[in-house]
Amino acid sequence: RRWFYGPRVAQFEQEFAAFQDAKFCVSCNSGTAGLEIALEALGIGPGDEVIVPPYTFVATVSAVMRVGATPVFVDLDKSWCMDPNAAEAAITRRTRAIMPVHFGGRVCDIDRLGGIAQARGIALIEDACHSWGAKWKGKGTGALGLCGIFSFQESKNMTGGEGGAILTDNEKFAALCRSICNCGREEGMPWYHHINVGTNARLTEFQAALLSAQLSRLEAQTIKRERNAALLNSELAE
Ligand SMILES: *Cc1c(COP(=O)(O)O)cnc(C)c1O
């Protein structure tokens, strides 16, 4: 009798945060929505710049434009991820965030990108929509900077049909993302109590139940995928 924000969503959020070594998981209905909500929660808007890679799904860039900010493209290096030197060179006094993508599960150079962001007092937002289970120096992706966004759309390695998540270690930021995701509501307050201008991007109980089941199979499926990839590589090498 509970279709959203019941025990299934709570359980999946807990499981996914633990799986990626993050303190908080705010589920939402897509990776695209998660990116937009994270940018809104940071107050990023007109006049602000966000550094993004050009080799990614459109949402990395459209999310920046949807909040009214300006995407600034910087190229990749041979890791297939954002070149930290290019990111550093692209920073201006308008830059509010760096948003690299862990492309194909290959984790960006977080030491360099995180260091650059920290030194300039800007946010590092991971577009982690390809990186379920990926780690940087033993810690899962998603909360390596301020936050990271995941997608559970049907083409992804784990899916709820649709779905997304914002991971962070920052409790205040998590609460603000949750509020924006839930029509600007405040946790623990009456239903028609709205403190922010939000949207409705809630994950449903049904999707969360699917996602818990998917998560339990992800590791075995990932190992199988890697074996298949290795086989293809060796057979195609000739
Ligand atoms: C899939 C994807 C998204 C968007 O996720 P949706 O759930 O489809 O909205 C964002 N960024 C990247 C890199 C993706 O691959």
Side-chain angles (χ1 to χ4, degrees), residues 175-197:
L176 183 51
C177 288
R178 169 90 63 204
S179 173
I180 294 171
C181 189
N182 186 20
C183 307
R185 292 190 167 87
E186 189 175 17
E187 204 134 21
M189 295 299 284
W191 185 242
Y192 291 117
H193 177 84
H194 307 267
I195 55 165
N196 293 300
V197 178

Side-chain angles (χ1 to χ4, degrees), residues 30-32 35 56-57 59-60 101 127 129-130 151-153 156 163:
S30 72
T32 301
L35 289 165
T56 181
F57 181 61
T60 316
V101 179
D127 182 334
C129 287
H130 293 184
S151 166
F152 310 120
Q153 186 266 343
K156 314 293 179 169

Side-chain angles (χ1 to χ4, degrees), residues 93 105 135:
R93 60 191 172 76
K135 289 181 192 288

Side-chain angles (χ1 to χ4, degrees), residues 44-181:
I44 292 176
D48 296 333
E49 294 176 357
V50 177
I51 296 176
V52 293
Y55 187 44
T56 181
F57 181 61
V58 68
T60 316
V61 182
S62 64
V64 175
M65 297 174 76
R66 293 263 302 165
V67 299
T70 305
V72 174
F73 289 113
V74 305
D75 217 337
L76 316 181
D77 60 23
K78 62 183 190 301
S79 71
W80 305 357
C81 292
M82 184 182 281
D83 178 349
N85 294 325
E88 191 165 33
I91 289 177
T92 71
R93 60 191 172 76
R94 292 172 180 270
T95 309
R96 296 283 315 279
I98 304 177
M99 196 153 74
V101 179
H102 301 306
F103 198 90
R106 298 165 69 98
V107 182
C108 301
D109 186 338
I110 290 296
D111 291 350
R112 290 274 339 268
L113 291 169
I116 293 164
Q118 214 157 29
R120 308 283 184 135
I122 60 181
L124 179 68
I125 304 173
E126 301 161 66
D127 182 334
C129 287
H130 293 184
S131 74
W132 327 260
K135 289 181 192 288
W136 175 259
K137 297 189 172 169
K139 189 183 181 198
T141 53
L144 296 169
L146 171 67
C147 65
I149 290 84
F150 289 76
S151 166
F152 310 120
Q153 186 266 343
E154 74 164 20
S155 71
K156 314 293 179 169
N157 292 14
M158 56 179 286
T159 186
E162 298 284 358
I166 303 165
L167 298 188
T168 181
D169 284 346
N170 182 321
E171 188 168 13
K172 261 177 101 172
F173 185 78
L176 183 51
C177 288
R178 169 90 63 204
S179 173
I180 294 171
C181 189

